[in-house]
Amino acid sequence: SQSLFSGGMAEEGKAEVETVKLISSDGHVFIVDKKAATVSGTIKSILGNGNQHAKFAEEEDGKVAFDEIPSHILEKVIQYFYFKLKYTNRTSEEIPEFTIEPEIALELLMAANFLDA
């Protein structure tokens, strides 16, 4: 199954949003705005900057598989990517709390640490 996360609908006449596919350990494919996905230092490194001569396969096809991260955790991590993207460098408004359910806190912490997010 696939999920599409986006910050909003693309407007007519605007360039298509570049996306990447993040795949959980249980096979769920999340289609994510590349700008949001690269909030993660790890994902940013895996996808590269396009300047290398020898590219990772993930950079070529825009897919990154996470063998250790189940879909319910990867989904929450992706929500955080969009949250961070939206609220980084905001000064005019108060930043709301990012809610984390206690039952996933430890798994989420481990995934965030791995992803450098």
Side-chain angles (χ1 to χ4, degrees), residues 32-81:
V32 182
D33 181 334
K34 187 174 183 180
K35 198 179 286 186
T38 54
V39 162
S40 158
T42 302
I43 293 173
K44 189 174 191 170
S45 294
I46 291 170
L47 293 175
N49 57 13
N51 295 336
Q52 301 143 323
H53 294 292
K55 293 183 175 185
F56 284 113
E58 291 87 352
E59 185 179 352
E60 290 287 326
D61 55 15
K63 285 194 277 190
V64 184
F66 297 103
D67 297 336
E68 304 293 323
I69 305 176
S71 58
H72 71 284
I73 297 298
L74 189 55
E75 180 176 18
K76 193 69 173 181
V77 168
I78 293 166
Q79 288 172 1
Y80 174 75
F81 292 165

Side-chain angles (χ1 to χ4, degrees), residues 9-17:
M9 299 301 289
E11 294 176 32
E12 293 257 345
K14 290 216 174 172
E16 187 87 12
V17 174

